[in-house]
Amino acid sequence: MKKGGKINLLNLVSKNRLWAFIIIYILFIYVSLPFFPAFISTLRNFISKELSNLLSLVLSISFFLLLSVWIYKKKYKAKQFLLIISPLLLLTYLSLSLDVWVERIHFIEYAVLGLLISCAVDVRTLLGIIYTGCLITLIGAVDEIIQWFLPSRVGDMRDVFMNSVGGLSGLWLGRFLFWEQQILGRNS
């Protein structure tokens, strides 16, 4: 945080802006809950179920490919590349194995949340991962609790687990994307 004896205010402002963005992202998740079924219903009027499944698969695979290319361009050694890409492979596999395409989007939504939080919090230590994992699980649990009170939604404990797995996959990926110099001992 200190650079040349002075506090690096730019870093502090950037972290505050990132946390503001994370809070807005979480609020968007919560506020969109009552409107999501209507959005899906409207979407189904214009797009068939098969096309929706295909689009969600394309979204999942595109997410994987874009991040893979970004990681590859950092020129890691093969072992480091496999270590970094492993959570991305897990994330893609789990999102593609979900039967309902809406769950795939929700899974990726929490993976993005995990990525954002891993950028804001030092997740190099086990304690950092545990704290941020608990935070993501809490956010996912509140998501499901809100759904219990909505007439058009159903809260499900299985979804809390899936939200957590998506978020933890994003944390694991972010751990290497944002903290790789300290973890892998790379020289930049």
Side-chain angles (χ1 to χ4, degrees):
M1 195 81 163
K2 289 190 174 188
K3 189 175 183 180
K6 295 180 182 179
I7 295 175
N8 187 348
L9 290 177
L10 183 60
N11 191 19
L12 184 62
V13 169
S14 296
K15 289 279 185 191
N16 288 340
R17 285 184 180 167
L18 180 58
W19 275 110
F21 181 74
I22 290 169
I23 290 168
I24 290 169
Y25 184 79
I26 294 167
L27 289 174
F28 174 76
I29 291 171
Y30 292 162
V31 169
S32 66
L33 288 173
F35 306 106
F36 199 66
F39 172 73
I40 297 303
S41 177
T42 304
L43 197 58
R44 284 186 180 150
N45 289 335
F46 295 104
I47 299 174
S48 69
K49 183 178 180 181
E50 293 79 19
L51 185 58
S52 326
N53 280 328
L54 180 65
L55 289 174
S56 70
L57 285 172
V58 168
L59 175 69
S60 297
I61 292 170
S62 298
F63 181 73
F64 170 76
L65 289 175
L66 286 172
L67 282 175
S68 297
V69 168
W70 183 48
I71 293 167
Y72 180 76
K73 285 183 177 181
K74 290 189 169 208
K75 307 235 186 278
Y76 290 106
K77 295 175 186 170
K79 190 185 284 187
Q80 293 172 334
F81 180 74
L82 290 174
L83 181 65
I84 294 169
I85 206 130
S86 63
L88 192 54
L89 289 169
L90 174 68
L91 184 66
T92 304
Y93 171 75
L94 289 174
S95 69
L96 293 177
S97 67
L98 295 171
D99 292 331
V100 182
W101 67 273
V102 174
E103 289 180 359
R104 288 184 198 135
I105 293 170
H106 205 61
F107 188 79
I108 291 173
E109 177 180 64
Y110 275 86
V112 170
L113 178 63
L115 273 172
L116 290 171
I117 290 176
S118 69
C119 185
V121 176
D122 185 351
V123 289
R124 289 178 290 176
T125 65
L126 181 61
L127 194 58
I129 292 173
I130 290 171
Y131 284 151
T132 52
C134 288
L135 176 64
I136 289 173
T137 301
L138 178 65
I139 292 167
V142 170
D143 182 330
E144 297 304 315
I145 290 169
I146 291 171
Q147 290 184 51
W148 283 337
F149 295 103
L150 295 174
S152 60
R153 301 298 300 263
V154 176
D156 187 4
M157 291 308 294
R158 185 181 66 96
D159 287 346
V160 174
F161 175 75
M162 292 307 293
N163 295 345
S164 299
V165 170
L168 287 172
S169 298
L171 275 177
W172 180 256
L173 179 62
R175 178 176 192 248
F176 292 104
L177 292 178
F178 304 122
W179 301 97
E180 84 272 349
Q181 287 180 333
Q182 293 88 351
I183 294 170
L184 299 174
R186 280 184 62 223
N187 294 326
S188 293

